[in-house]
Amino acid sequence: MESLQKNDIEVLLNHSKTRKAIAAVNKEAKERKSFLPSKCQIFSEEFTSLQEQTQYVFADDRETGKILPDIINNNIQKVVKGLKNFEKEKKFFFKKRNIGVVFSGGPAPGGHNVIAGIFDAAKKANSESTIFGFLFGPDGIIESKYIELTREIIDDYRNIGGFTMIKTGRTKIDSREKMDLAQKTCKELNLDVLVIIGGDDSNTNAAFLAQEFKKIGIQVIGVPKTIDGDIQVQTEDGQVLCAISFGFHSAARAFSNNISNLCTDTGSDAKYWHICKVMGRVASHLALEAALQTHANLTLIGEELADYVDKERLENSETKGVIDYTAFGITLRHLSRVICDVIMRRAANGKNYGVMILPEGVLEFVNEIQLFIIKLNTIIGDYNHIHDIDFHEIFPNLNSKLDYLRKFARGISDKGTSPIWNSRDDELFNDLPEFFQKGLLVERDSHGNFQFSQIKTEKIIMDMVKSYLNVSKEKGTYKVGIENDYFINTLKQENLDPDVFKDVIFSEDSKNNQYLLVKKSIISKKTLKQALLKSNLIKEEEKVPKAIMQIFNKSVPKFKTQTYFYGYDGRGNDPTQFDCNYAYNLGLTAFSLIANGATGQMAAIKNLEYKFSNWEPIGIPIAKLIHIEERKGKLAHVIEKSIVDIDSNAFRVVKALREEWEGANPYKDQYRKPAPIHLKDNNEDDIPITLILNSIKC
Ligand code: FBP
């Protein structure tokens, strides 16, 4: 044992073992930084060109064409080998350029590799080129805050998660003033091109900037990032051009590793339901992937719930000769019943525990909540428009907001009447818990998106689940099944005849099962005693035998939960090998687009869902992805978010195996353990399962 002087903190801190043990960069992190992502074959060429691909057809874009006339006619461009005799193109390719890069929106693992790819390709083409990184997202462009990215800086962030190198932000360059300031910065830096690494809204912004900057000769290129996986591009006839954004795989794998550990915990301790909310502002892609990775007992997929039809309601209304529109789509009440059903069926098989995955955006697909969101968006949007001032500034707290809504309901608002918010809305809204009211009234983000991450979705849902479980407990329908052998052994220890007691305590239909269910009518010590008295198994003055009490107590469920929010942790996770390679090749693709004069294009890799050797770098015309949708109560031109397709293979597999994974049976749960995230070898987990399944043609 080495002797260390007590209290001599200096000695302890300087000890070689201490220094090694707590070093900021460990061996694995060093190895990660030096990992070389694989490059698509085409990038070993000296230089590349772009080949127009006119065979791909997109939806009607006349409306977008009116506002983005200079980029609406862009086509898909495939990165191909550069033609040696095309001297002019070659000269342009190798020219010295100033490139500005910016992260926009939430972090996603792999972002640093996109910049590393751009940096490597740009320096290879011309070592005198300069790469500027704008700080804190689009604010850095508006406020002219940037750093020059040197090789030393880049090397320090290769294959490392998050966006820490230059940070990120959610500001949208959407006003004349911000556009002018952005132009000023870019001109002062003498930029040739601006690369925006962002989600659907940031790429929409990139298209508008491309249109605006065309006249000053600055190219704008987008790169699809978001852990949510909701930027996916398909043509009108379903050809996949971009199967997923970078960051999705790493975040999904990080969440899945944690969720899988909880599956192990719940199967060990057998006392908790672990409730895991996973990010994904609207779309449930991350939840779907986590379900495939872990086989958790219950995963809600918002998109499926939206499709729900209450057949009973529909039939009832049809017999009356009317259509009940409320029968379409799921309500919060019904959703809680769906969850309770799984909990109760597992409990009946002795498993009063499990793991549940709730997508962050699930409420977006619940009827009454969706309606509230749309109505409130419109009211707030109208207020901002009429008063030219922000609603949240004027009504900063919940009470003032509610007061405004109440006035609206009474028709004494500035507009005089209120067709959107009537007294029924007011009543329903007032019935919601305060934290949820606050959540629904929370300020929309700069792109007009509802901020689901600010809402305790899991609390809203689980509160309803808990109250329904309590009702079910009182009704005697929520019980923990008692294993037959356990019952027999327990009774034998007290010399009681199991066969005699079985008939009295357990329900008829469970008597031959491995797990026995206490009769519905027995819900308390009192009702238990009554049942025994009625069957003459005990006398009035006698106590219920200890063994029977033990069995009864075991059958009474205690619903205990632990809740988790997996989101921010996954955004900061180090990228998987898939994301390292993907993001790096996106960077290389972005440079090919830049060096061939493209603008208004988004770098993408086609065939991501297949082997690496099939990956095909392309440019996608952003303007062609834009459609019109409601934001902040107004119609806006934005890239359409891809939500889970309930006809996709990935969803169909989850649906088909749902019962097996629920494990509402006496057998072992079918949990799956995903491999840990590391860069050493390729392993079978190194591609999103969603992509593998969706690529199967059958
Ligand atoms: P992006 O679309 O910008 O990639 O962000 C997605 C996301 O991670 C969502 O999953 C989540 O709802 C949201 O960001 C959280 O945003 P914030 O960082 O503002 O809390």
Side-chain angles (χ1 to χ4, degrees):
M1 182 90 170
E2 289 164 55
S3 66
L4 276 174
Q5 266 187 348
K6 254 191 180 171
N7 301 328
D8 193 349
I9 191 70
E10 283 303 310
V11 176
L12 176 61
L13 288 176
N14 289 321
H15 195 285
S16 59
K17 276 192 184 173
T18 311
R19 291 167 77 104
K20 190 171 172 215
I22 63 165
V25 184
N26 60 27
K27 191 167 158 261
E28 185 125 347
K30 277 189 201 142
E31 281 170 11
R32 189 165 256 286
K33 287 182 189 179
S34 57
F35 170 80
L36 290 178
S38 308
K39 284 199 284 186
C40 292
Q41 183 69 35
I42 188 69
F43 296 123
S44 8
E45 294 295 330
E46 189 200 355
F47 82 107
T48 54
S49 303
L50 300 176
Q51 196 181 66
E52 300 277 313
Q53 308 281 296
T54 49
Q55 70 272 33
Y56 297 110
V57 181
F58 292 90
D60 180 34
D61 52 15
R62 268 170 294 183
E63 283 306 311
T64 313
K66 289 181 195 157
I67 48 169
L68 299 172
D70 295 335
I71 57 167
I72 195 66
N73 293 322
N74 283 4
N75 282 316
I76 296 285
Q77 294 168 319
K78 182 176 168 184
V79 179
V80 293
K81 197 172 163 182
L83 297 170
K84 291 221 165 24
N85 49 350
F86 278 50
E87 283 314 313
K88 207 169 129 214
E89 281 83 354
K90 203 169 166 182
K91 203 167 158 214
F92 187 77
F93 189 95
F94 289 109
K95 92 181 186 106
K96 170 179 176 251
R97 30 175 71 85
N98 291 332
I99 300 174
V101 292
V102 67
F103 288 130
S104 179
H112 293 133
N113 276 26
V114 175
I115 299 183
I118 297 172
F119 181 92
D120 290 349
K123 291 285 186 185
K124 185 178 151 206
N126 190 319
S127 59
E128 284 176 32
S129 285
T130 310
I131 324 295
F132 296 102
F134 288 106
L135 300 173
F136 294 99
D139 276 343
I141 312 178
I142 296 167
E143 295 165 15
S144 192
K145 293 215 173 75
Y146 56 86
I147 51 167
E148 184 186 331
L149 295 172
T150 59
R151 188 166 296 281
E152 206 188 349
I153 297 176
I154 296 282
D155 286 351
D156 207 24
Y157 288 94
R158 287 181 195 270
N159 311 304
I160 300 294
F163 286 175
T164 42
M165 181 167 73
I166 50 172
K167 327 265 184 257
T168 186
R170 288 202 182 275
T171 299
K172 188 176 173 189
I173 305 177
D174 57 352
S175 64
R176 187 66 262 157
E177 194 193 349
K178 288 190 219 167
M179 277 282 184
D180 290 345
L181 288 168
Q183 270 197 38
K184 187 167 169 271
T185 305
C186 294
K187 272 195 199 154
E188 275 168 10
L189 275 175
N190 206 10
L191 283 195
D192 294 281
V193 58
L194 175 65
V195 182
I196 298 179
I197 305 163
D200 49 342
D201 291 324
S202 308
N203 273 284
T204 300
N205 212 196
F208 282 87
L209 283 169
Q211 172 66 38
E212 183 74 20
F213 283 15
K214 185 112 186 182
K215 53 180 179 284
I216 53 167
I218 298 179
Q219 299 161 256
V220 180
I221 297 294
V223 178
K225 83 75 242 194
T226 173
I227 63 162
D228 290 4
D230 55 10
I231 310 188
Q232 300 176 8
V233 182
Q234 288 194 7
T235 56
E236 269 286 87
D237 56 350
Q239 296 188 65
V240 180
L241 296 172
C242 170
I244 205 80
S245 46
F246 79 79
F248 169 80
H249 185 230
S250 314
R253 287 286 307 282
F255 299 159
S256 302
N257 285 354
N258 289 330
I259 293 170
S260 156
N261 291 342
L262 294 174
C263 292
T264 309
D265 179 80
T266 198
S268 313
D269 207 11
K271 72 174 182 215
Y272 290 124
W273 263 93
H274 291 298
I275 314 297
C276 310
K277 178 169 85 165
V278 303
M279 258 192 190
R281 192 199 308 273
V282 176
S284 306
H285 298 294
L286 282 165
L288 184 71
E289 178 70 16
L292 291 161
Q293 294 271 354
T294 63
H295 304 181
N297 305 109
L298 171 64
T299 303
L300 298 179
I301 300 297
E303 290 80 343
E304 181 189 22
L305 302 177
D307 245 36
Y308 174 80
V309 178
D310 188 334
K311 291 201 184 104
E312 213 181 297
R313 223 167 227 241
L314 205 62
E315 274 162 23
N316 282 346
S317 66
E318 271 166 9
T319 50
K320 288 180 201 149
V322 288
I323 299 174
D324 182 352
Y325 290 103
T326 60
F328 299 96
I330 203 156
T331 58
L332 259 182
R333 193 173 158 274
H334 192 87
L335 175 59
S336 64
R337 304 298 185 266
V338 170
I339 298 172
C340 289
D341 178 57
V342 178
I343 295 169
M344 295 198 294
R345 282 190 294 108
R346 270 182 71 83
N349 283 282
K351 302 171 182 172
N352 192 30
Y353 56 86
V355 174
M356 185 187 306
I357 303 177
L358 304 177
E360 179 188 36
V362 68
L363 294 180
E364 168 97 14
F365 298 96
V366 172
N367 252 350
E368 66 261 42
I369 308 298
Q370 203 180 29
L371 252 162
F372 273 139
I373 293 174
I374 296 172
K375 286 183 175 207
L376 292 171
N377 278 357
T378 310
I379 292 170
I380 296 170
D382 272 359
Y383 186 93
N384 293 348
H385 186 68
I386 295 168
H387 299 269
D388 196 23
I389 192 158
D390 185 29
F391 177 84
H392 298 283
E393 237 175 74
I394 301 298
F395 307 106
N397 54 42
L398 180 65
N399 280 343
S400 57
K401 285 178 185 151
L402 289 178
D403 201 41
Y404 181 77
L405 286 178
R406 241 167 262 134
K407 278 188 192 163
F408 229 96
R410 279 189 258 122
I412 52 168
S413 69
D414 311 348
K415 284 178 110 184
T417 55
S418 163
I420 324 171
W421 196 261
N422 52 40
S423 48
R424 174 90 185 117
D425 291 314
D426 208 42
E427 254 169 53
L428 286 175
F429 199 74
N430 280 327
D431 278 349
L432 299 175
E434 190 180 308
F435 78 91
F436 190 23
Q437 292 179 336
K438 268 192 190 151
L440 285 168
L441 282 161
V442 87
E443 203 168 338
R444 277 48 179 160
D445 77 2
S446 54
H447 298 276
N449 293 305
F450 186 76
Q451 302 198 62
F452 276 103
S453 58
Q454 309 291 319
I455 286 204
K456 289 206 163 62
T457 309
E458 67 286 10
K459 181 162 165 49
I460 294 157
I461 296 176
M462 293 317 293
D463 279 357
M464 291 193 76
V465 164
K466 280 178 192 162
S467 67
Y468 187 65
L469 287 178
N470 279 337
V471 172
S472 307
K473 212 161 129 181
E474 276 163 31
K475 279 197 202 154
T477 50
Y478 176 30
K479 309 250 185 205
V480 180
I482 302 293
E483 204 188 5
N484 206 345
D485 287 351
Y486 173 82
F487 167 69
I488 294 171
N489 292 336
T490 312
L491 263 66
K492 277 188 179 163
Q493 278 170 23
E494 227 181 293
N495 294 323
L496 300 174
D497 182 350
D499 286 336
V500 174
F501 280 88
K502 199 181 212 179
D503 285 346
V504 177
I505 308 174
F506 297 114
S507 72
E508 190 58 33
D509 41 339
S510 76
K511 259 171 39 188
N512 297 323
N513 296 348
Q514 193 175 327
Y515 280 86
L516 307 165
L517 274 182
V518 169
K519 281 181 179 164
K520 268 192 193 175
S521 53
I522 303 179
I523 51 163
S524 60
K525 221 168 134 184
K526 195 172 154 199
T527 46
L528 172 66
K529 186 163 182 185
Q530 277 166 359
L532 299 178
L533 280 172
K534 209 168 147 199
S535 311
N536 296 322
L537 288 174
I538 56 165
K539 299 204 175 76
E540 186 64 57
E541 63 281 9
E542 282 175 344
K543 276 188 171 173
V544 173
K546 244 167 94 188
I548 300 295
M549 249 351 269
Q550 189 177 327
I551 296 294
F552 172 72
N553 285 339
K554 229 179 158 41
S555 78
V556 178
K558 286 174 206 67
F559 183 65
K560 294 207 274 188
T561 57
Q562 296 290 348
T563 47
Y564 312 81
F565 178 22
Y566 295 121
Y568 298 102
D569 54 332
R571 302 196 319 193
N573 208 81
D574 281 336
T576 56
Q577 194 170 125
F578 174 84
D579 273 332
C580 285
N581 290 338
Y582 178 22
Y584 188 70
N585 281 284
L586 280 175
L588 300 177
T589 308
F591 181 75
S592 283
L593 294 170
I594 295 166
N596 284 285
T599 192
Q601 297 289 86
M602 184 169 83
I605 307 284
K606 192 169 168 273
N607 294 338
L608 266 184
E609 58 279 37
Y610 302 108
K611 276 200 196 125
F612 180 77
S613 52
N614 294 324
W615 285 18
E616 210 176 87
I618 56 170
I620 296 177
I622 308 176
K624 294 253 166 53
L625 313 180
I626 288 176
H627 79 153
I628 296 176
E629 75 179 43
E630 181 270 342
R631 288 288 174 90
K632 289 187 182 172
K634 299 269 154 310
L635 292 179
H637 284 85
V638 286
I639 293 181
E640 189 173 10
K641 274 193 206 313
S642 299
I643 57 172
V644 170
D645 174 3
I646 56 169
D647 292 323
S648 66
N649 289 350
F651 177 75
R652 290 192 304 136
V653 167
V654 169
K655 193 172 172 184
L657 297 177
R658 182 173 281 160
E659 207 177 309
E660 204 173 293
W661 297 349
E662 263 174 19
N665 55 44
Y667 316 116
K668 198 172 159 235
D669 280 310
Q670 300 295 310
Y671 300 132
R672 175 180 184 275
K673 194 104 200 141
I677 298 176
H678 58 66
L679 293 182
K680 287 203 180 98
D681 324 289
N682 263 319
N683 63 52
E684 83 274 16
D685 279 352
D686 217 26
I687 174 169
I689 300 180
T690 309
L691 261 57
I692 300 177
L693 298 179
N694 288 347
S695 70
I696 300 172
K697 307 243 181 309
C698 58

